[in-house]
Amino acid sequence: MSTKKPHLSFFENVSFNFEKAAVFTGHPRGLLDVIKACNSVYAFQFPFRSQRGYEVISGWRVEHSHHKLPVKGGIRYSEQVDEDEVKALAALMTYKCAIVDVPYGGAKGAVKIDPKKYTPHEVEQITRRYTAELIKKNFIGPGVDVPAPDYGTGPREMAWIADTYTAFHPGQIDTLACVTGKPMSSGGIQGRMEATGRGVFFGLREACSGKEDMETLGLSKGLEGKRIAVQGLGNVGYHAAKFCQEGGCVLVGVAMPEGAIYNPKGLDVDGVVKHRQETGSILNFPGATNLANSAEILECECDILIPAALENQITEANAPRVRAKIIAEGANGPTTVAGEEILLKKKVMVIPDIYLNAGGVTVSYFEWLKNLSHVRFGRMGKRFEETAFEKMLRAVETATGKTFSEAERRVIAHGADELDLVNSGLEETMINAYCNIRELWKRDRKIPDLRTAGFISAINKIAVSYEEMGIFP
Ligand code: NAD
């Protein structure tokens, strides 16, 4: 299948990938069209008075698929954002949730601002007004549409959203479940902040554990010693780099908007972050070479490239020069259709966004469940488990005469707390989903790549939902 249009928009890229997979599913055209279409697109403008005077701010919320409710997806603050981008991101959310069996339809929101150009107080006012606009049209609510952080937003914005929603819905018991990615003090869950990056690590570790797949790429099995380069050291990129480094990878390259640095002997991710905090730039990091520009990171010598900034980064223009053997898509849509065609011809393995960055929505799902159940995970069982494990240890000691040390006791007789359960659920989800899409990919030689396998898996699951509803029996 070759790209007819040289420059597809982001949403057209997603639709192209959908169609590439749809031919393997055998579903009727009407059903495929229903799955592919964006159900609701809400675009709005609101006035805002900053220190500089009045301006008009554009916002969007796109609910791509109502096959399951609520719909779910992040909110992006970016000056570059437009409707096509929000539609593409919302569609990716639908397929992502289906792949990891998180029971949501997909959505996405955006505000067309560069938050760095506003004071924190102004960002708060914009966030609260954006939330009020969503409330007006019923585009937010625990059972309707549940936003989360994305590029340019974080726990702070999510806390403002939750607070605004709660103020408009006095007396409703589940209001905190209207948004995820909140700080702990506002109903958040442990492990959400790092969830997407941790999920990238779990996914990569799983992909690299397959001896046969690694041999095809000319790589050894496992993560140990694999050279990684990361574009964008934000939430996803930083945590992915951190967990991969802890898992045995060597971080050789990092890019931020101001430039890129490279050191084949390795860069300490926390050292780079500290250096940037102190100097305002990652450039001139001790021991590293400054690359000519930020985009050079995509072409650097490494085994695994993790684009974790924005979409449309690996294109037909630079794909021929990409040297990584594995592209691990932390960002949404970093590889264009035309770029991917070149990569696949070069036998590069692309681990697609619709699977690899699903850790965020997975842990958001756990946060939503926690908010609805009004109880912290582990609260009921932790002490009970610890007591049971302790009894077992004592029985073993009595039977064998062995005495366990305090350190051994702490490890063995540890009851699961919230973070243990979140990380365990995330790991299980990422491993299962990888095995599912890899098996699909390998089962039929005609399925060209993992992204297509991911889309097939998603389309089939969504089709079942429509069939269960009695639509398209
Ligand atoms: P973020 O704002 O925390 O970080 C993005 C980083 O990329 C920033 O530090 C920014 O300065 C940097 N950046 C921007 N343009 C760059 C460029 N050209 N070169 C190098 N660096 C650049 O955003 P995030 O939440 O980490 O999101 C990053 C990507 O991951 C987005 O595509 C987002 O949709 C996707 N994603 C995020 C989550 C999440 O939980 N936050 C979940 C799934 C997917």
Side-chain angles (χ1 to χ4, degrees):
M1 207 170 183
S2 77
T3 357
K4 290 268 163 22
K5 291 183 198 161
H7 293 295
L8 302 178
S9 74
F10 190 6
F11 186 61
E12 286 169 335
N13 265 282
V14 176
S15 300
F16 183 97
N17 287 326
F18 177 97
E19 292 298 341
K20 188 173 159 188
V23 295
F24 294 98
T25 65
H27 296 301
R29 185 69 248 170
L31 175 54
L32 292 169
D33 286 342
V34 168
I35 296 172
K36 195 169 119 182
C38 268
N39 288 169
S40 314
V41 181
Y42 176 29
F44 50 93
Q45 278 85 36
F46 55 85
F48 180 68
R49 190 171 67 173
S50 72
Q51 288 170 338
R52 297 179 291 273
Y54 275 103
E55 59 188 293
V56 177
I57 292 186
S58 299
W60 290 268
R61 186 73 186 167
V62 171
E63 295 178 351
H64 172 259
S65 176
H66 293 146
H67 75 287
K68 282 194 195 297
L69 288 171
V71 292
K72 185 119 191 53
I75 295 176
R76 173 171 287 197
Y77 285 1
S78 158
E79 243 172 357
Q80 269 74 50
V81 77
D82 59 25
E83 191 165 301
D84 179 89
E85 184 175 322
V86 191
K87 281 169 69 180
L89 292 163
L92 288 176
M93 281 305 296
T94 294
Y95 308 125
K96 192 180 302 182
C97 290
I99 287 172
V100 292
D101 289 326
V102 164
Y104 298 130
K108 207 80 181 188
V111 182
K112 197 176 177 66
I113 55 161
D114 177 353
K116 287 191 231 65
K117 293 189 180 157
Y118 297 86
T119 65
H121 178 63
E122 288 170 345
V123 177
E124 176 177 353
Q125 286 179 304
I126 292 168
T127 305
R128 289 186 183 279
R129 175 63 190 254
Y130 175 79
T131 310
E133 295 292 333
L134 298 187
I135 293 169
K136 263 182 2 197
K137 299 281 181 189
N138 203 24
F139 268 70
I140 184 170
V144 179
D145 186 338
V146 182
D150 190 69
Y151 186 91
T153 60
R156 182 184 71 162
E157 285 74 17
M158 303 307 116
W160 290 328
I161 291 172
D163 186 56
T164 308
Y165 184 84
T166 304
F168 274 86
H169 297 84
Q172 283 194 17
I173 194 167
D174 290 330
T175 56
L176 286 183
C178 76
V179 63
T180 59
K182 303 178 290 293
M184 287 305 292
S185 54
S186 305
I189 194 165
Q190 290 188 49
R192 172 59 183 91
M193 184 73 161
E194 59 270 36
T196 310
R198 196 187 281 275
V200 169
F201 162 68
F202 285 143
L204 257 174
R205 191 188 62 188
E206 198 53 30
C208 292
S209 70
K211 191 163 178 279
E212 193 192 316
D213 293 350
M214 289 303 105
E215 274 174 4
T216 316
L217 300 172
L219 294 172
S220 59
K221 184 182 155 193
L223 278 185
E224 194 62 41
K226 294 243 169 0
R227 299 164 304 160
I228 58 167
V230 179
Q231 183 196 38
L233 220 48
N235 182 352
V236 177
Y238 166 75
H239 289 109
K242 175 111 181 125
F243 292 120
C244 286
Q245 203 168 43
E246 285 170 10
C249 292
V250 182
L251 177 66
V252 292
V254 168
M256 284 296 268
E258 67 269 15
I261 53 173
Y262 187 81
N263 184 349
K265 293 196 190 122
L267 302 157
D268 173 48
V269 66
D270 285 320
V272 175
V273 169
K274 189 160 174 275
H275 174 78
R276 189 169 193 261
Q277 276 160 359
E278 285 165 3
T279 67
S281 167
I282 58 165
L283 296 174
N284 305 320
F285 183 68
T289 309
N290 294 337
L291 300 184
N293 57 56
S294 177
E296 286 271 305
I297 199 76
L298 304 168
E299 301 168 23
C300 78
E301 182 64 45
C302 64
D303 301 313
I304 303 171
L305 174 65
I306 308 182
L310 283 171
E311 56 277 359
N312 298 335
Q313 297 301 303
I314 303 171
T315 65
E316 71 270 43
N318 57 11
R321 295 189 300 279
V322 167
R323 281 183 272 180
K325 304 272 175 45
I326 300 175
I327 307 294
E329 293 189 334
N332 282 311
T335 315
T336 65
V337 165
E340 185 159 17
E341 273 185 13
I342 296 168
L343 294 179
L344 293 177
K345 278 193 196 121
K346 288 168 58 169
K347 307 272 180 242
V348 174
M349 180 186 201
V350 181
I351 311 179
D353 48 7
I354 45 168
Y355 157 68
L356 195 65
N357 68 32
V361 73
T362 302
V363 175
S364 274
Y365 170 48
F366 301 155
E367 181 177 331
W368 181 75
L369 293 175
K370 174 188 179 180
N371 295 149
L372 292 178
S373 63
H374 300 265
V375 64
R376 167 171 49 85
F377 289 108
R379 179 167 177 179
M380 310 284 278
K382 181 176 160 60
R383 195 159 292 268
F384 182 84
E385 279 174 12
E386 283 176 359
T387 310
F389 294 150
E390 184 58 38
K391 280 184 194 153
M392 248 186 289
L393 284 182
R394 281 203 217 110
V396 173
E397 282 175 335
T398 311
T400 62
K402 174 184 163 65
T403 309
F404 291 100
S405 68
E406 268 314 304
E408 285 172 323
R409 291 199 117 75
R410 265 199 303 277
V411 173
I412 302 168
H414 171 77
D417 58 25
E418 184 170 86
L419 189 59
D420 295 320
L421 293 168
V422 163
N423 288 341
S424 161
L426 174 60
E427 186 169 7
E428 171 76 3
T429 302
M430 294 306 293
I431 292 174
N432 273 349
Y434 185 80
C435 293
N436 287 342
I437 60 172
R438 188 196 173 273
E439 201 206 305
L440 237 146
W441 177 34
K442 294 290 162 184
R443 203 191 303 156
D444 183 345
R445 290 196 146 268
K446 289 195 217 98
I447 296 175
D449 49 72
L450 262 179
R451 190 187 314 278
T452 306
F455 267 93
I456 295 170
S457 164
I459 293 169
N460 285 339
K461 289 180 190 176
I462 300 164
V464 169
S465 293
Y466 280 113
E467 280 159 12
E468 280 169 358
M469 281 185 243
I471 311 167
F472 296 102

